[in-house]
Amino acid sequence: MKIKPIILLILIVSACKSPEARYPVSRSSGSYIDESVALNKKMIAKEEDQIKKLMANDPDTEYLSSSDGFWYYYNDKVEDSIHETPEFGDIVVFDYTISTLDGDPIYDIGEKPTKEYAIDKEKLFTGLRQGLKLMREGETVTFLFPSHKAYGYYGDRNKIGSNVPITAKVTLRDIKEEPVNETNN
């Protein structure tokens, strides 16, 4: 008779045991990701070297380096302090052309329509989104973008292929402050 309470106690203790974690059947070493990172770093370094050579061959132009990973120069610069740079939500109106780093046109004048863009509220490729924030109304700036700041791996699915560094000549026509939403209480 004493055996039954002992068996019952063993069953209760083993039933209260917490479940053990199950491990995956296959494990990946992460070598694919490591290889991909190394290839991307090599590609970015190659594109940046190409841009630096282009700048070195043009000593008469004052190139500026952006903290966001691209270079640019002013074709037409506005020096007065009246004109401000756009801020989050402001609507900017601009025209732009896109060329290869060698200067071959990809989208020439008129191929890209004048564009209205709400700063950081709409889709636009990374470099241009960041570049517009550096500009004042009336300025024309030429940007040199490595592919990861331009259209990246996918290109624009039209004229710009995969991993193509570009130059974009941008004229900022107008800056309209973000509309204020007024509600009646």
Side-chain angles (χ1 to χ4, degrees), residues 23-164:
Y23 295 99
V25 176
S26 65
R27 294 183 181 131
S28 64
S29 66
S31 64
Y32 172 76
I33 293 172
D34 294 340
E35 289 174 28
S36 180
V37 167
L39 286 172
N40 282 330
K41 284 182 178 180
K42 192 182 290 186
M43 180 186 67
I44 290 168
K46 181 181 173 187
E47 290 176 6
E48 288 179 355
D49 286 345
Q50 188 180 2
I51 290 171
K52 288 174 183 174
K53 281 182 188 175
L54 186 130
M55 292 187 300
N57 290 333
D58 188 11
D60 296 333
T61 302
E62 182 184 351
Y63 289 93
L64 302 167
S65 176
S66 163
S67 61
D68 293 311
F70 59 86
W71 294 262
Y72 62 101
Y73 65 89
Y74 288 91
N75 301 81
D76 296 312
K77 185 174 173 97
V78 174
E79 296 290 344
D80 64 34
S81 61
I82 297 170
H83 292 83
E84 297 293 323
T85 56
E87 296 178 7
F88 178 83
D90 289 348
I91 308 295
V92 294
V93 179
F94 64 97
D95 297 313
Y96 67 111
T97 61
I98 296 177
S99 305
T100 64
L101 290 181
D102 296 328
D104 299 325
I106 298 173
Y107 290 106
D108 213 350
I109 297 169
E111 285 190 73
K112 288 280 191 186
T114 298
K115 184 160 180 67
E116 277 195 16
Y117 167 70
I119 296 292
D120 290 336
K121 288 189 167 185
E122 297 178 49
K123 282 185 145 186
L124 194 63
F125 72 85
T126 306
L128 187 53
R129 187 173 66 238
Q130 294 164 335
L132 284 167
K133 292 186 232 176
L134 301 172
M135 298 179 69
R136 298 171 190 242
E137 189 175 307
E139 290 184 330
T140 300
V141 177
T142 300
F143 297 98
L144 296 98
F145 297 120
S147 65
H148 69 281
K149 289 293 178 179
Y151 289 93
Y153 178 75
Y154 292 105
D156 73 343
R157 298 189 175 147
N158 190 12
K159 291 185 174 185
I160 300 172
S162 177
N163 299 321
V164 176

